[in-house]
Amino acid sequence: MASAVLGDLSSTSALAAGNLRQAQGKSIGVFTSGGDSQGMNAAVRAVVRMGIHVGFRVYYIHEGYQGMVDGADNIKEATWTSVSGIIQQGGTVIGSARCQDFRERAGRLKAAANLVKLGISNLVVIGGDGSLTGANCFRQEWAGLLEELEKKGEITAEQSKNCSHLNIVGMVGSIDNDFCGTDMTIGCDTALHRIMESVDAITTTAQSHQRTFVMEVMGRHCGYLALVTALACGADWLFIPEWPPEADWEDHMCRRLSELRTAGSRLGIVIMAEGAIDQKGSAITSNRVKEIISTRLGHDTRVTVLGHVQRGGNPSAFDRVLGCRMGAEAVLALLEAKPDTPACVVSLDGNQAVRVNLMECVERTQQVAAAMKKGNFENCVSLRGRSFRNNLEIYKILSHVKPPNNPQQDGHDNDFSDEQSPVVVRRLSRCSVDGATNSFSPPVTSTSNRCPVPAKRPRWSADDNNPLKTGFECEHVFNIGIMNVGAPAAGMNAAVRSAVRTAILNGHQPYAIYEGFEGLAEGRLKKLNWMDVGGWVGSGGAKLGAKRTQPAKLGLPQIASKFKEFNLSALIIIGGFEAYDSVLQLAEARPQYKEFCIPMVVIPCTISNNVPGTEFSLGTDTALNAITDICDRIKQSASGTKRRVFVVETMGGYCGYLATLAGLAGGADAAYIFEERFGMRDLQTDVEHLAKKMVEGVERGLILRNEKCNENYTTDFIYQLYCEEGKGIFSARKNVLGHMQQGGCPSPFDRNLGTKLAAKSVAFLAEKMHNNYKEEGGRVVVECNEEDTACLIGLNRRTVQFSPVTHIKSQTDFQHRLPREQWWLKLRPLLRILAKHESVYEVEGTEASIE
């Protein structure tokens, strides 16, 4: 994901300890080809170390296919220490080059000779579809090439026999995410980080001068980067090649930007892919867009073309872990390969790593280009896959020419101005509504904010086919409460913004509940309108405030009375374990309090990633990137003082997710967690391992410790132990990262995940309210007590699921605030293997067909 990199280690096959050397005598060549992308080095490192671990000899092939053709010093054997310190580096340390020679048979003949002479009959290719297609062509010609080489006397019959077949495994390295068959390519997440850093920086100067910026991102034939950027920053307009704008887009765009400026926005952000086109296939350039805005609106408009800065910088935590996992799986795929095994690519499918037929993916990718050329854009979007379609649908949900009327009528408050009349919702509107600088203070309790009777719902003046509507048309407006419970985490505000706007678009009234249940008990509620949440998507912290207090502590009768007083018909709680436990308390109290018989959803949001019912929580990815960045700086500081070991404490409560994934992303030597018990013997083994590492020439070490991994083996204790046992070999330092892990702007992953989960949550609530409202004593009330009306929305394996909190209860360790099963624990052996510990690793990549 995204980071948390997604993973379902569902395969039951494993490398038994006795079979770890079954690759003895075999060789792997690893190379990068085509454009570079961040995370390639993590993949190369994993291939080298996992390859050596299972008995392969591993060779670097420098400069891609050109190095393969030229041979000599371009093909060198890799060692364990030769990949030390590269995981945090961008680009590719083994180089990449375009190669015309390999396109000719004569060039491929030279390449085959160079490989066979070194006994290399297994290749790991890291690149785009062109590089992967070339590798498959090489494989198909392999037998003929060897026969010709043997006839010419360039290789012996024995060499030909030993390398009689060539096995190929690919990994897709591309910042564009333009390869069909995988949800994310290596480098894409980091490119999004670079883009968002630039957008966030430009936003401040744009606000200062009331400017409009046209920002061009990479994506000549794929709009993924532009689309996700638009979602993550709330762009005012979007251009992507897969979905060109309407014929009169110039008028719509100018009207949109003008309305936002009139509404109080001091800036405009237009995001466009470099390959943007119109419905006729003609290019739309950033300079043309600038000229239209400047001429028609008179806005001070600037163009920023980000260019190759998107390829640069250190890889994100997501791309590092993705590279590690894909690299390990590539080696294991080669280990299991037979002579007739077709070339495959290691891909990420939702929440599962899979092996997909390489040429099926290439053909699907080529179909996208063909559909675009024919102007079949519906098919083009469909071929991009589920992830792309979902992103586009959510963008369309939150894109609006104007916000609709406030749904409250019949004498109740109307927070919208007269200018915000009912809107014609364009089915494929190209705009969103962020950029407003409006802010508001937490409210003082006021009876004018209350809506005791649901008002009649206004009818849309829109076409009924638009994707904004949930499909559950109800004649009444219902109040939806939105609150944060627990510690602040990145992504909370993005979720609130999405929930507010989706609720309004479906004709309901969102209420902000400040300071969680404490604020509810004090009546600190306020209606939110469309522009109130402008600019929230990229804000860190929790603008509604976040308290850990749960309803049972305050008293359920008092909470029930506030539900009734404000006539709440649905509730969204965004937060961590306390949020889940709060909804569970309310659900279990339904027999005593009918006020709690309303649909409720928990959106998991905590850096600890310890909420049951989901494999990822909002905020985790941002925290993981913060930890990884700090660890990079810590390791860099050791470059001036050799032979130093750092002991770093991470947050997470009893959950070791952050320590484990940060350890994998940061190249740590060990990560101590509560879920995996350890003792003095383990600590002593790690000290000896580090001492050996220093002798071999790697003169720094990194140890991560989860804050509650062991009450006796504290951070101070482990630090003192390493200091004492390492005397004369290495020195030690300690760092407690603390609350800096909770701070900062949310990552692109957390912004988008929060936006999606909140939009789906509102759709879920709308359905339940539609199915469960009734007239009672002259009032319209929602009443439901089924288990599936109090749920937690979570990302599990390949899908987003709504799980009843009463069902999740049995999966919960309440004493330690943990899920009883945690998918990421199966990545622990990979962490140890890549740090040169002996361990047994389960095969992750299951066979799959392309979507």
Side-chain angles (χ1 to χ4, degrees):
M1 334 155 355
S3 112
V5 172
L6 309 178
D8 169 29
L9 310 181
S10 58
S11 174
T12 57
S13 62
L15 291 176
N19 295 330
L20 285 177
R21 300 300 171 191
Q22 58 184 292
Q24 206 77 289
K26 299 179 181 179
S27 299
I28 291 177
V30 57
F31 66 99
T32 54
S33 178
D36 66 306
S37 62
Q38 308 94 325
M40 281 184 165
N41 290 327
V44 169
R45 172 179 175 270
V47 170
V48 169
R49 292 193 169 179
M50 180 60 83
I52 293 172
H53 179 72
V54 300
F56 281 111
R57 295 183 71 177
V58 184
Y59 289 85
Y60 300 126
I61 302 175
H62 292 270
E63 312 306 334
Y65 284 112
Q66 191 65 56
M68 194 185 299
V69 172
D70 295 342
D73 289 342
N74 288 300
I75 306 177
K76 296 181 180 179
E77 186 168 1
T79 64
W80 193 278
T81 57
S82 67
V83 290
S84 178
I86 71 170
I87 192 171
Q88 68 267 23
Q89 294 181 29
T92 166
V93 296
I94 58 176
S96 180
R98 311 286 181 184
C99 180
Q100 190 62 38
D101 293 340
F102 195 80
R103 296 177 181 271
E104 307 295 331
R105 181 177 172 82
R108 295 193 290 274
L109 198 65
K110 290 180 182 179
N114 290 328
L115 296 179
V116 171
K117 289 173 184 178
L118 293 171
I120 300 172
S121 60
N122 299 279
L123 287 179
V124 176
V125 189
I126 309 171
D129 62 328
S131 302
L132 297 175
T133 302
N136 190 64
C137 175
F138 194 36
R139 174 182 172 276
Q140 292 172 337
E141 290 184 343
W142 185 256
L145 294 171
L146 264 58
E147 183 179 352
E148 185 175 342
L149 289 169
E150 188 178 347
K151 285 181 179 179
K152 290 181 176 181
E154 294 188 30
I155 62 173
T156 66
E158 184 179 358
Q159 288 175 323
S160 178
K161 180 181 178 182
N162 291 339
C163 299
S164 59
H165 59 275
L166 179 67
N167 288 316
I168 302 287
V169 175
M171 289 180 274
V172 189
S174 168
I175 69 167
D176 292 341
N177 203 34
D178 57 352
F179 189 81
C180 295
T182 184
D183 284 347
M184 287 292 282
T185 56
I186 296 172
C188 179
D189 184 70
T190 307
L192 287 170
H193 277 257
R194 296 295 93 80
I195 295 169
M196 287 312 307
E197 288 165 5
S198 300
V199 173
D200 288 346
I202 278 177
T203 296
T204 58
T205 184
Q207 287 176 332
S208 299
H209 298 278
Q210 297 192 65
R211 284 177 176 152
T212 296
F213 274 84
V214 180
M215 302 192 66
E216 181 181 303
V217 303
M218 284 187 168
R220 190 172 303 153
H221 305 294
C222 180
Y224 184 87
L225 289 177
L227 174 58
V228 175
T229 299
L231 274 172
C233 73
D236 303 312
W237 204 265
L238 168 68
F239 294 96
I240 57 174
E242 293 86 350
W243 206 262
E246 305 91 339
D248 54 350
W249 62 267
E250 298 95 334
D251 295 334
H252 293 316
M253 179 183 68
C254 290
R255 183 171 64 248
R256 175 71 195 131
L257 294 172
S258 178
E259 288 166 352
L260 284 171
R261 192 60 61 92
T262 301
S265 175
R266 292 180 58 86
L267 77 157
I269 298 292
V270 176
I271 301 294
M272 60 188 306
E274 62 178 323
I277 56 177
D278 61 22
Q279 294 279 354
K280 296 180 181 179
S282 300
I284 300 175
T285 66
S286 52
N287 284 327
R288 179 185 172 192
V289 173
K290 173 196 171 184
E291 187 66 24
I292 290 170
I293 297 171
S294 300
T295 303
R296 296 195 184 187
L297 300 179
H299 289 186
D300 184 358
T301 307
R302 307 295 171 92
V303 171
T304 298
V305 179
L306 296 185
H308 285 76
V309 70
Q310 297 161 85
R311 292 187 187 274
N314 295 346
S316 66
F318 184 102
D319 279 327
R320 298 186 198 193
V321 178
L322 184 62
C324 288
R325 288 175 56 198
M326 285 189 168
E329 287 299 327
V331 171
L332 300 184
L334 290 173
L335 192 64
E336 297 172 2
K338 297 178 174 57
D340 59 348
T341 301
C344 72
V345 60
V346 180
S347 300
L348 194 67
D349 184 6
N351 194 22
Q352 187 174 8
V354 297
R355 300 172 193 171
V356 186
N357 184 283
L358 188 153
M359 289 314 297
E360 284 183 14
C361 296
V362 170
E363 289 167 6
R364 180 72 166 268
T365 303
Q366 291 171 347
Q367 288 173 18
V368 177
M372 197 178 300
K373 188 174 182 180
K374 293 177 181 177
N376 189 348
F377 299 111
E378 289 274 5
N379 189 38
C380 190
V381 170
S382 180
L383 288 168
R384 281 291 181 212
R386 182 183 60 252
S387 177
F388 192 95
R389 286 198 308 271
N390 287 344
N391 283 326
L392 185 57
E393 285 305 312
I394 296 297
Y395 181 77
K396 287 186 283 186
I397 286 173
L398 295 179
S399 299
H400 222 282
V401 177
K402 280 186 183 178
N405 255 7
N406 187 306
Q408 305 292 8
Q409 295 180 352
D410 300 335
H412 299 292
D413 291 345
N414 190 331
D415 291 338
F416 290 101
S417 68
D418 293 336
E419 297 294 325
Q420 296 165 336
S421 57
V423 62
V424 175
V425 183
R426 295 191 175 272
R427 178 171 168 270
L428 295 168
S429 174
R430 286 295 187 283
C431 44
S432 108
V433 293
D434 268 329
T437 57
N438 306 46
S439 61
F440 59 97
S441 302
V444 178
T445 303
S446 169
T447 56
S448 65
N449 272 330
R450 301 168 190 169
C451 179
V453 181
K456 287 287 184 179
R457 170 184 187 144
R459 291 290 181 178
W460 291 103
S461 57
D463 62 287
D464 289 331
N465 295 321
N466 77 78
L468 301 167
K469 301 168 73 171
T470 61
F472 300 99
E473 188 71 26
C474 177
E475 292 204 358
H476 298 279
V477 176
F478 293 111
N479 296 341
I480 300 178
I482 304 170
M483 70 165 72
N484 300 325
V485 174
M492 275 186 168
N493 295 324
V496 172
R497 166 188 173 269
S498 177
V500 167
R501 291 186 169 174
T502 310
I504 292 171
L505 289 171
N506 283 282
H508 300 298
Q509 176 61 63
Y511 269 71
I513 304 173
Y514 287 84
E515 309 300 339
F517 282 100
E518 289 186 23
L520 177 62
E522 297 171 0
R524 302 187 68 207
L525 284 73
K526 178 182 178 178
K527 295 181 198 175
L528 291 182
N529 65 36
W530 189 272
M531 298 304 290
D532 283 334
V533 291
W536 282 31
V537 67
S539 298
K543 287 184 177 291
L544 299 186
K547 293 289 185 70
R548 296 178 183 271
T549 309
Q550 295 175 254
K553 183 176 181 180
L554 293 168
L556 294 177
Q558 184 180 13
I559 300 301
S561 69
K562 293 300 179 180
F563 273 46
K564 183 176 182 179
E565 180 181 347
F566 286 92
N567 197 32
L568 296 181
S569 298
L571 181 66
I572 294 177
I573 302 184
I574 305 164
F577 195 91
E578 297 90 348
Y580 151 66
D581 198 16
S582 294
V583 170
L584 180 60
Q585 291 175 16
L586 297 178
E588 291 181 335
R590 280 173 165 177
Q592 291 77 42
Y593 303 95
K594 70 175 184 179
E595 291 84 359
F596 301 151
C597 294
I598 60 173
M600 296 178 281
V601 173
V602 180
I603 299 177
C605 185
T606 169
I607 70 168
S608 301
N609 201 35
N610 66 330
V611 180
T614 185
E615 294 177 349
F616 291 96
S617 298
L618 282 177
T620 301
D621 184 65
T622 304
L624 188 56
N625 277 285
I627 297 168
T628 303
D629 182 59
I630 294 167
C631 288
D632 286 349
R633 299 184 185 198
I634 287 173
K635 289 194 297 182
Q636 189 178 47
S637 74
S639 61
T641 53
K642 305 297 184 182
R643 299 197 172 197
R644 177 159 289 176
V645 174
F646 290 91
V647 180
V648 178
E649 179 183 298
T650 67
M651 280 182 160
Y654 287 100
C655 182
Y657 176 86
L658 287 178
T660 297
L661 272 292
L664 198 54
D669 297 281
Y672 302 129
I673 63 172
F674 171 79
E675 295 91 341
E676 190 175 277
R677 299 307 173 101
F678 63 96
M680 281 300 301
R681 184 174 297 178
D682 301 297
L683 293 172
Q684 184 60 39
T685 299
D686 289 341
V687 170
E688 293 169 358
H689 164 74
L690 283 166
K692 183 179 179 182
K693 178 179 174 180
M694 300 295 174
V695 172
E696 291 175 348
V698 181
E699 298 186 326
R700 61 183 177 276
L702 179 64
I703 303 294
L704 296 181
R705 177 190 178 275
N706 169 243
E707 60 182 342
K708 291 189 176 181
C709 65
N710 190 295
E711 62 182 356
N712 296 313
Y713 300 137
T714 64
T715 301
D716 282 336
F717 177 88
I718 294 174
Y719 161 67
Q720 295 291 348
L721 175 69
Y722 274 77
C723 284
E724 183 62 29
E725 297 297 320
K727 280 183 177 178
I729 305 173
F730 58 79
S731 60
R733 295 289 186 274
K734 68 174 179 179
N735 297 84
V736 178
L737 302 186
H739 285 77
M740 67 175 68
Q741 297 162 83
Q742 288 183 332
C745 295
S747 67
F749 180 90
D750 282 330
R751 298 184 196 201
N752 289 327
L753 184 61
T755 299
K756 293 175 185 176
L757 293 184
K760 289 179 181 291
S761 295
V762 171
F764 170 86
L765 295 176
E767 175 187 359
K768 298 303 180 184
M769 289 188 295
H770 169 74
N771 292 337
N772 294 281
Y773 78 94
K774 63 181 181 180
E775 299 279 347
E776 187 178 272
R779 302 173 69 244
V780 178
V781 297
V782 173
E783 187 172 325
C784 53
N785 56 14
E786 294 82 4
E787 288 185 324
D788 67 352
T789 58
C791 291
L792 180 143
I793 183 173
L795 189 62
N796 292 294
R797 297 196 176 185
R798 300 178 62 186
T799 59
V800 173
Q801 299 174 346
F802 288 90
S803 304
V805 291
T806 50
H807 292 184
I808 301 173
K809 184 177 181 180
S810 62
Q811 307 168 18
T812 307
D813 174 0
F814 284 94
Q815 179 183 354
H816 299 106
R817 297 155 58 91
L818 289 171
R820 294 193 184 279
E821 294 185 7
Q822 301 183 84
W823 67 270
W824 54 267
L825 286 172
K826 295 181 180 179
L827 292 180
R828 297 278 301 172
L830 180 59
L831 169 62
R832 295 189 64 78
I833 287 170
L834 297 183
K836 209 173 183 178
H837 293 279
E838 288 297 323
S839 191
V840 179
Y841 178 66
E842 290 190 6
V843 177
E844 178 180 358
T846 57
E847 299 291 339
S849 59
I850 191 169
E851 181 190 1

